[in-house]
Amino acid sequence: MTVKERVAGEEVRRVADLAHLQLTPQEEQAMQHDLSSILDYVEQLNELDTANISPMAQVAEVLQPVAGQDALRADQPRPSLERENVMKSAPASDGVFFKVPKVIER
């Protein structure tokens, strides 16, 4: 099944630029196809009759308990990792925080 290309190559390059991605021409074509496929799927979803479906904010509202348990596990506090051990395995750290390269250059 071929997908009608809904996304222009220029749009793919713009999105890649915003995401700081460097795409080869082959990757641009693949991304154009993938984004067009996503839009086609969304179009299919828009055809569904949702008139009698109540809006919801969380999927937890419709989850059913399983075998006498809640569908979601209880939120229980537990010890976190020790900072010293975590910082030892970090590529760059000042001992308290991770150091990361600057990513926003514009």
Side-chain angles (χ1 to χ4, degrees):
M1 174 177 153
T2 60
V3 176
K4 181 178 129 190
E5 299 301 338
R6 301 168 155 261
V7 180
E10 182 178 310
E11 293 170 313
V12 171
R13 286 186 290 281
R14 174 73 177 138
V15 170
D17 184 50
L18 290 171
H20 297 282
L21 298 175
Q22 295 179 347
L23 301 177
T24 65
Q26 295 82 10
E27 290 170 326
E28 281 183 18
Q29 280 187 320
M31 185 66 66
Q32 182 178 8
H33 181 269
D34 291 348
L35 291 173
S36 295
S37 295
I38 291 168
L39 291 176
D40 285 344
Y41 183 67
V42 170
E43 186 176 286
Q44 287 179 10
L45 292 176
N46 283 335
E47 293 174 7
L48 293 173
D49 180 12
T50 58
N52 296 321
I53 307 295
S54 304
M56 62 181 188
Q58 296 289 326
V59 71
E61 297 171 6
V62 296
L63 291 176
Q64 300 296 318
V66 178
Q69 303 176 35
D70 287 332
L72 301 176
R73 67 170 171 77
D75 191 13
Q76 300 173 348
R78 55 181 121 161
S80 61
L81 300 171
E82 291 185 31
R83 181 183 303 269
E84 184 178 317
N85 291 337
V86 172
M87 291 300 142
K88 283 180 186 176
S89 62
S93 165
D94 65 3
V96 178
F97 298 105
F98 295 108
K99 289 186 176 182
V100 297
K102 181 178 177 179
V103 294
I104 299 175
E105 296 178 6
R106 297 184 221 177

